Amino acid sequence: MTPQRRFPLGRLVFFVTSNIHKFNEARLVLAEHRVATALLRVKKVEVQDDSIENIAKASALDATKKYKLPIIVEDAGLFVKGLNGFPGPYSSHVYRTIGLEGILKLMGNVEKRDAYFQSVVAFCSSEELSKCFHGKVEGRISLEERGSSGFGFDPIFEPSASPNKTFAEMAMTEKNKYSHRAQALRKFVKWYTSNI
Ligand code: ITT
């Protein structure tokens, strides 16, 4: 049976997040493959763990159990090599507390400005079916904040593939060419459209 026949209204997955920017980026990527994304704005279970994969997986499994829907949860973090991977799994807290200015201050004496974003997309549609997909983008921390698009650490992250611009100086479609999130989501959607 063709995919169109099995899914006359198209395919739909529910993205649990409180971050509308993440949702909009994801929606664009999944739409490239004719998968629709709905925002499920409910409180996520957030386990404390050093692994973003474990955090995403636990949240997706919990949401699928509660809402009986095909769920994706995406967890991401910025890992600065010169700061031994900080803030990593603590990115959300660090963004809300010391923010971009704090990271730039911490980087003051650090010569090695290499950093990467990592993303894990966890998909669950039942307790038996859960899968994770990873994405990573290498880059460096800029010397100052630049740009006003995007969110979070975008104004201080220059991806290696386009080193003269921060993510915040790019339109969403351009960020999606390189980003950790888009890479993980493309792996997910490739698997999803051939297996579900
Ligand atoms: P949800 O957990 O509700 O999905 P969140 O904003 O907390 O939303 P994450 O835990 O995935 O999202 O991300 C942690 C932080 O890492 C986030 O608050 C941002 O500050 C930063 N971050 C993640 N992805 C980013 C990106 O693409 N660009 C800039 N900063 C990002």
Side-chain angles (χ1 to χ4, degrees):
M1 198 181 281
T2 64
Q4 278 83 355
R5 280 243 177 103
R6 279 170 63 205
F7 300 97
L9 299 175
R11 295 175 163 101
L12 176 65
V13 292
F14 291 79
F15 188 176
V16 179
T17 181
S18 60
N19 185 328
I20 191 72
H21 302 279
K22 282 173 54 167
F23 171 72
N24 284 332
E25 289 178 12
R27 191 168 50 148
L28 264 189
V29 174
L30 299 197
E32 289 165 9
H33 298 266
R34 296 171 48 85
V35 175
T37 318
L39 174 60
L40 192 56
R41 215 173 208 155
V42 291
K43 194 145 177 54
K44 271 193 321 193
V45 162
E46 290 242 8
V47 295
Q48 285 295 323
D49 202 296
D50 285 346
S51 145
I52 60 173
E53 172 165 340
N54 291 344
I55 299 171
K57 215 168 172 174
S59 305
L61 197 52
D62 178 71
T64 296
K65 271 193 218 159
K66 277 189 188 136
Y67 305 107
K68 315 270 183 267
L69 292 169
I71 297 283
I72 52 174
V73 169
E74 190 255 355
D75 213 69
L78 174 69
F79 297 75
V80 182
K81 293 183 190 168
L83 301 177
N84 296 325
F86 183 81
Y90 310 104
S91 293
S92 192
H93 177 70
V94 169
Y95 177 73
R96 278 186 275 110
T97 51
I98 64 169
L100 304 180
E101 214 180 310
I103 293 284
L104 289 179
K105 255 193 204 144
L106 285 176
M107 296 293 292
N109 298 321
V110 179
E111 243 171 59
K112 199 170 151 50
R113 301 188 78 84
D114 304 24
Y116 60 91
F117 273 114
Q118 187 132 38
S119 161
V120 177
V121 168
F123 170 79
C124 277
S125 59
S126 68
E127 281 181 54
E128 290 73 46
L129 182 58
S130 83
K131 273 191 84 71
C132 287
F133 304 84
H134 296 246
K136 183 176 179 181
V137 58
E138 299 275 358
R140 62 192 297 282
I141 301 299
S142 58
L143 294 170
E144 70 290 300
E145 294 178 32
R146 297 198 322 270
S148 54
S149 304
F151 69 98
F153 298 106
D154 281 346
I156 60 167
F157 185 81
E158 300 168 335
S160 306
S162 180
N164 299 322
K165 279 186 184 175
T166 65
F167 268 164
E169 293 177 300
M170 297 180 183
M172 198 185 287
T173 42
E174 193 179 357
K175 178 179 172 186
N176 273 354
K177 277 193 214 161
Y178 312 113
S179 89
H180 49 309
R181 177 165 305 104
Q183 289 181 46
L185 284 163
R186 286 197 184 100
K187 287 181 193 165
F188 158 70
V189 79
K190 205 168 161 204
W191 170 83
Y192 181 74
T193 49
S194 33
N195 290 281
I196 303 285

